[in-house]
Amino acid sequence: LWDAGLILPVMGLLLLGLIGVYTASISRATELYGDHSRFLVRQALFIIIAGLLAIVVSAIPLRVLRRCAGLCLSLALLCLVLVLIPGLGTEVNGSTRWIRIAGFSLQPSEIAKLLFLIYLSAFLADLQQAGQQRFADLTQPLILLVLVCLLLMLEPDFGTVAVISATCAGMMWLGGVRFRYLLFLALLGGSALALLSVSSPYRLARMVSFLNPWADPFDQGFQLTQALIAFGRGGLFGAGLGGSVQKLFYLPEAHTDFLLAVLAEELGLLIVWAVLFLFLAVLIKGFAVARDALVRGNRFGANLAYGISLLIGLQAFVNIGVNMGVLPTKGLTLPFMSYGGSSVVMNCLAVAVLARVQYENRAGAS
């Protein structure tokens, strides 16, 4: 069921993430909890839970997931609504993106992303099976996507809005939706995102600060300048594991959003290339699985594999771009690597679904 070409790159990313989380969080864990390994132990626990759940999810037939597409959509919307209810949602750094349960923080948007992809995959499969395509046929998923994005903006979570919108657009294009429809939607969605960016002085400042972070290095450009210093100090081979200076309360969220910058400072540019290679391996494998499913007539499986691959690839691209200063700061974690139970578990479950698609491809060929 589990192919080495898929599981080995994911395991490599999880292992590098464990190393990065530990070294990046030592100072903060010691200051807050008096335990330098607190974040490492919790991240390891998240990975174990993710692995156990992934085994269960990989055993679920795709036909069952397809039948439950409507339920997945309802659960996705419910997750995004629950976090906005006063008393349930927890505000951190000005955003209400988490629900605390038994001492752990659950991020509903991570759950909603995968559930919405299952719904959209089933919808596109039905559309492909019908053989007819009109712009009106796309009304339902587009309205629901707008609703999801609006709920995310209320948190607010602009980064997730951008990633899930781009992922859905990519799925539609790969699923055979006519280019002129997508071009119209891209112009409409791009205009809406641009208006959202300029509607808030805070968001606008974050959007443009990456162009010249040194113009305001102690406020809007602080995160990026510290990340760039980390990359510059690391050079090709790094300052040595544990030798980062920027993680010592200079680089905010060192073990989550800016984990790659800490790894680059300590292990050098070589580790950045390794991370890029591993993500590329996952992406290539995911697209190969999707193409194989499409050849075998499994439209739902193909759409799902494309969507999962795009979701992981785009989020990794945005996080790496933010760390390197080529994209505005978005607050997105690095899949499989950044600290956080919701992100690790849901990304591993997404890979489990991808493994299931590959398994059914092979079962159909035998």
Side-chain angles (χ1 to χ4, degrees):
L1 180 59
W2 293 93
D3 181 81
L6 176 63
I7 192 62
L8 288 181
V10 171
M11 290 180 66
L13 291 168
L14 289 170
L15 178 59
L16 286 175
L18 270 178
I19 295 170
V21 166
Y22 179 56
T23 187
S25 66
I26 288 176
S27 300
R28 185 171 183 181
T30 302
E31 181 195 36
L32 294 178
Y33 306 105
D35 178 5
H36 64 88
S37 63
R38 178 180 174 86
F39 290 108
L40 170 67
V41 172
R42 288 169 70 92
Q43 186 77 346
L45 177 61
F46 296 149
I47 291 174
I48 292 171
I49 293 172
L52 294 174
L53 291 176
I55 293 172
V56 175
V57 169
S58 65
I60 301 175
L62 292 180
R63 65 177 183 275
V64 175
L65 289 180
R66 187 169 180 174
R67 287 198 208 106
C68 295
L71 176 61
C72 289
L73 173 65
S74 300
L75 290 175
L77 294 174
L78 179 63
C79 287
L80 296 177
V81 169
L82 286 177
V83 76
L84 299 174
I85 297 176
L88 283 179
T90 302
E91 183 176 332
V92 179
N93 295 330
S95 298
T96 308
R97 303 178 188 176
W98 295 269
I99 296 175
R100 290 195 63 81
I101 301 175
F104 290 90
S105 294
L106 177 70
Q107 191 169 0
S109 62
E110 294 290 341
I111 303 172
K113 285 188 290 188
L114 180 58
L115 293 175
F116 190 79
L117 291 192
I118 294 173
Y119 154 75
L120 184 59
S121 297
F123 181 90
L124 290 174
D126 292 340
L127 192 64
Q128 292 159 345
Q129 195 169 355
Q132 297 178 347
Q133 188 180 127
R134 301 170 300 167
F135 186 79
D137 295 330
L138 302 175
T139 302
Q140 178 182 323
L142 291 177
I143 290 175
L144 291 168
L145 177 59
V146 169
L147 178 58
V148 167
C149 290
L150 287 175
L151 290 171
L152 287 168
M153 287 305 303
L154 291 174
E155 296 184 7
D157 192 348
F158 190 79
T160 300
V161 169
V163 167
I164 197 169
S165 299
T167 299
C168 292
M171 288 177 66
M172 290 180 181
W173 178 53
L174 293 168
V177 173
R178 291 173 182 168
F179 181 74
R180 64 176 181 268
Y181 295 165
L182 290 176
L183 182 60
F184 172 74
L185 293 173
L187 291 173
L188 192 64
S191 300
L193 289 175
L195 286 174
L196 284 171
S197 299
V198 301
S199 63
S200 166
Y202 170 73
R203 276 197 295 267
L204 181 60
R206 291 188 68 177
M207 287 289 292
V208 301
S209 64
F210 83 101
L211 297 173
N212 185 16
W214 304 103
D216 191 10
F218 299 108
D219 190 9
Q220 294 296 335
F222 183 76
Q223 289 178 309
L224 182 51
T225 55
Q226 300 305 312
L228 293 176
I229 291 171
F231 273 93
R233 185 170 181 269
L236 184 60
F237 299 105
L241 190 62
S244 171
V245 173
Q246 298 309 113
K247 70 183 181 184
L248 302 176
F249 310 109
Y250 291 103
L251 189 59
E253 309 300 333
H255 59 305
T256 56
D257 301 351
F258 287 93
L259 181 72
L260 187 66
V262 175
L263 284 175
E265 184 180 2
E266 296 190 351
L267 301 177
L269 187 60
L270 292 178
I271 202 68
V272 178
W273 289 345
V275 169
L276 289 173
F277 172 79
L278 290 172
F279 274 115
L280 184 61
V282 174
L283 190 61
I284 291 173
K285 184 65 178 180
F287 270 69
V289 170
R291 181 175 177 80
D292 193 22
L294 196 59
V295 169
R296 300 179 190 286
N298 184 359
R299 295 185 178 94
F300 174 69
N303 294 332
L304 202 48
Y306 278 134
I308 290 170
S309 303
L310 286 170
L311 183 66
I312 293 172
L314 285 170
Q315 185 158 331
F317 171 78
V318 171
N319 180 276
I320 294 169
V322 167
N323 274 252
M324 292 184 168
V326 296
L327 290 174
T329 305
K330 283 287 171 279
L332 287 173
T333 56
L334 188 58
F336 307 112
M337 295 182 66
S338 293
Y339 175 79
S342 300
S343 176
V344 168
V345 170
M346 295 313 300
N347 280 305
C348 287
L349 294 188
V351 170
V353 174
L354 193 57
R356 182 69 199 188
V357 177
Q358 185 179 32
Y359 172 76
E360 296 198 9
N361 288 345
R362 292 177 173 177
S366 61

